[in-house]
Amino acid sequence: VPDTSLPGVRVIRELEVLVARSRLPQQCVFENGSEFTGLAMLHWAQSPRLDWHHIDPGQPQQNAFAESLNGRLAASS
């Protein structure tokens, strides 16, 4: 869901929609943005349903897929 601002509660809602539509992914890789480090997301992430992997701060190459997508979205706007 592309948007300029996605609070943690909205991210959780969108993840739950994805889970309802299809099977849960094995792992979620994410950066340390506020939407992923807020209390709502941290509480949701404690569920044993999914393996969470934080990329290291200042290391965008660890999440090359997302960085590539962000670059293409920025270029097209």
Side-chain angles (χ1 to χ4, degrees):
V1 176
D3 202 337
T4 56
S5 177
L6 292 172
V9 173
R10 171 113 185 261
V11 173
I12 292 168
R13 186 174 70 228
E14 298 298 338
L15 287 171
E16 290 292 349
V17 168
L18 290 173
V19 169
R21 288 184 187 169
S22 61
R23 66 183 179 90
L24 190 66
Q26 293 179 351
Q27 185 180 65
C28 183
V29 178
F30 61 99
E31 61 184 19
N32 293 295
S34 61
E35 68 275 16
F36 295 111
T37 58
L39 291 177
M41 181 59 77
L42 293 175
H43 178 69
W44 191 84
Q46 288 178 351
S47 166
R49 304 180 298 176
L50 185 60
D51 178 30
W52 289 89
H53 176 72
H54 294 264
I55 65 168
D56 295 326
Q59 299 296 319
Q61 69 275 15
Q62 292 179 355
N63 195 3
F65 174 79
E67 294 302 319
S68 174
L69 175 64
N70 291 344
R72 284 183 270 158
L73 287 174
S76 67
S77 56

